[in-house]
Amino acid sequence: MKNKVIKTVVVYLGGLLTGLSLILYPALGPIFTDTAHFGFSSNQFSSIFIPQTLLAIFSALMTPFFVTKLGVKRVLLLGCFSLALTTFLLFMSHFFMQNKEIALVIIYAGTSFLGLGFGLVITVLNPLAFQLFPNNELASISGLHFSLGLGTAGAPLLVSMLHDPNLWWYLPIIVFALLLLLLVLVVFLNLNEQENTFRSGVLKIPLRLWGFVLIVILYGICEGTLGSYGAVFLKNQGFTIKAASLGLALFWSGLAFGRILFGLLSARFNIKGVTLLSALLIGFLFYLIPISREASFSLFGMGLAGIFMSSLFPSSVNWATKENTANAIMVSGLMVAALQLGTGISTNLLGFLSENYPLSLLFKGVGIIAFVMSVLMWLMQKYSKK
């Protein structure tokens, strides 16, 4: 019983701190691109996410093999240590703001460890959450991604609450200390009962699973657009740094609280129709937010987009895992890798294209991708196995 409590704390605290670590970098986008601070160009800012994306994909795909060789606990410890290191490197970068080249190298190293840690931790936590409450796996996974979303919402919210933007470096050092606490909890966690489950099955990818992978890639493009460029877009629209950070916080808050809402609804209802409708509405919001001239609507639209996106990734993970329970860790790795690939595509492509095209136009283009995602979801539901 005691181990079950520790495991529950590790799963949901791990999700929270992973979310905080993940969004600290994009949440500090206005600081990175402000000439009074780092003064990075839009291209330089987008480039810092390249190592994160590549290593997150690599680590997520390799986690099943790492678990086979090292065991679940060691892989989780390695992931938590990597996340702690990335927050420490982000803190260290503030000493080199006047030397852009050195600061950029430190931040590249930080996002590299961020990608490694994120891929390892979330890939392990997904099947752990799936097993926590066997009678309602979707609620279990939604709870994990609620805590993850709470962390992603907390990072920009904390930035927006800073009275002095020059004190931003307090945030990563606080998260670093919390990650050390998580490391201690994992040390005392017994995961021996998970070893056989995580290592069972074959690493063969069924054809149908690629449909889920594609849905998550398209979803990742949508999430990455608002999650990485939401604050930068709002700042370009004339918002202050604090107001732009608030808009990003509303998006991640909507994502977080929407997940707990859908998790509760899933205990009583079949929400597949709701997720399909949400995907359609996301497409419309990507068109409406850029053409809105009302600041209040832009902020409201960011929060609403988060709510509509909230059910898509957890339901895809749950659905794919139910259809491939013998290979839960492999499914989790593929889903996390697909998410990172999607966010990486949007983050880097938007950074490149924004040099010649306004973000308002690019956002409308992502709306088309959301519509394509909704069509694919409908096809997967129509030919559903379960």
Side-chain angles (χ1 to χ4, degrees):
M1 186 65 180
K2 181 180 177 182
N3 192 62
K4 176 72 176 289
V5 172
I6 297 176
K7 187 193 298 183
T8 303
V9 172
V10 166
V11 166
Y12 296 119
L13 179 61
L16 175 71
L17 296 181
T18 301
L20 277 170
S21 304
L22 182 68
I23 301 302
L24 270 178
Y25 285 86
L28 291 170
I31 299 290
F32 286 137
T33 56
D34 193 347
T35 53
H37 295 89
F38 288 90
F40 295 153
S41 67
S42 181
N43 240 350
Q44 286 175 320
F45 173 63
S46 65
S47 72
I48 70 175
F49 300 105
I50 294 175
Q52 172 189 323
T53 302
L54 294 177
L55 279 164
I57 294 170
F58 170 79
S59 60
L61 293 176
M62 291 301 294
T63 297
F65 300 97
F66 292 153
V67 166
T68 300
K69 297 295 183 182
L70 303 174
V72 181
K73 185 172 179 176
R74 288 178 182 174
V75 171
L76 188 56
L77 281 170
L78 179 60
C80 292
F81 177 77
S82 297
L83 292 179
L85 190 54
T86 191
T87 53
F88 181 74
L89 288 170
L90 181 56
F91 162 74
M92 291 298 296
S93 69
H94 93 278
F95 292 111
F96 301 94
M97 284 195 298
Q98 303 307 315
N99 192 325
K100 188 186 298 186
E101 288 74 20
I102 295 179
L104 201 56
V105 170
I106 294 174
I107 290 171
Y108 278 144
T111 55
S112 297
F113 283 107
L114 176 58
L116 178 65
F118 178 85
L120 293 174
V121 171
I122 294 301
T123 302
V124 170
L125 291 186
N126 271 323
L128 282 180
F130 187 83
Q131 295 170 357
L132 275 179
F133 304 105
N135 294 327
N136 195 350
E137 296 92 346
L138 180 54
S140 302
I141 291 179
S142 294
L144 166 62
H145 289 277
F146 164 72
S147 61
L148 179 68
L150 200 61
T152 56
L157 185 61
L158 290 172
V159 172
S160 70
M161 291 172 62
L162 287 173
H163 295 293
D164 183 358
N166 292 315
L167 299 178
W168 64 267
W169 49 270
Y170 276 101
L171 301 179
I173 203 66
I174 291 172
V175 179
F176 170 73
L178 292 172
L179 282 163
L180 292 183
L181 172 62
L182 178 64
L183 271 168
V184 173
L185 288 174
V186 175
V187 168
F188 288 100
L189 182 61
N190 182 3
L191 290 174
N192 289 333
E193 61 189 30
Q194 266 72 43
E195 294 293 340
N196 291 332
T197 302
F198 276 38
R199 295 181 188 188
S200 64
V202 294
L203 298 179
K204 181 181 178 181
I205 303 174
L207 181 61
R208 181 175 164 79
L209 187 54
W210 289 111
F212 292 109
V213 169
L214 184 54
I215 288 173
V216 173
I217 290 173
L218 297 178
Y219 165 79
I221 292 174
C222 296
E223 181 189 291
T225 298
L226 290 179
S228 295
Y229 273 88
V232 176
F233 166 74
L234 293 176
K235 187 170 178 288
N236 290 348
Q237 294 289 92
F239 285 69
T240 63
I241 290 178
K242 291 183 70 173
S245 297
L246 176 61
L248 186 60
L250 288 172
F251 167 71
W252 288 115
S253 296
L255 199 71
F257 288 100
R259 279 172 176 166
I260 202 66
L261 172 64
F262 284 112
L264 293 172
L265 288 174
S266 70
R268 295 177 60 87
F269 307 103
N270 186 330
I271 65 167
K272 286 184 179 180
V274 177
T275 58
L276 183 59
L277 178 62
S278 296
L280 283 169
L281 293 174
I282 290 165
F284 286 113
L285 281 174
F286 269 110
Y287 180 80
L288 293 174
I289 292 174
I291 66 174
S292 171
R293 296 184 180 181
E294 293 291 332
S296 56
F297 179 82
S298 295
L299 294 176
F300 176 72
M302 290 287 288
L304 205 57
I307 292 174
F308 290 146
M309 286 188 190
S310 61
S311 66
L312 302 184
F313 184 63
S315 62
S316 296
V317 172
N318 177 69
W319 192 1
T321 304
K322 276 192 171 182
E323 292 192 4
N324 301 273
T325 52
N327 290 295
I329 191 71
M330 180 266 288
V331 171
S332 179
L334 279 174
M335 295 294 100
V336 173
L339 177 63
Q340 286 300 294
L341 179 59
T343 55
I345 289 171
S346 64
T347 301
N348 294 289
L349 193 58
L350 259 65
F352 174 74
L353 293 176
S354 63
E355 297 288 333
N356 299 304
Y357 301 97
L359 280 174
S360 57
L361 177 63
L362 298 176
F363 272 41
K364 294 175 185 177
V366 175
I368 297 174
I369 291 174
F371 289 130
V372 173
M373 174 179 64
S374 67
V375 172
L376 182 57
M377 288 175 61
W378 175 77
L379 290 172
M380 291 293 288
Q381 289 183 16
K382 184 178 181 181
Y383 300 103
S384 174
K385 289 183 177 180
K386 296 187 179 182

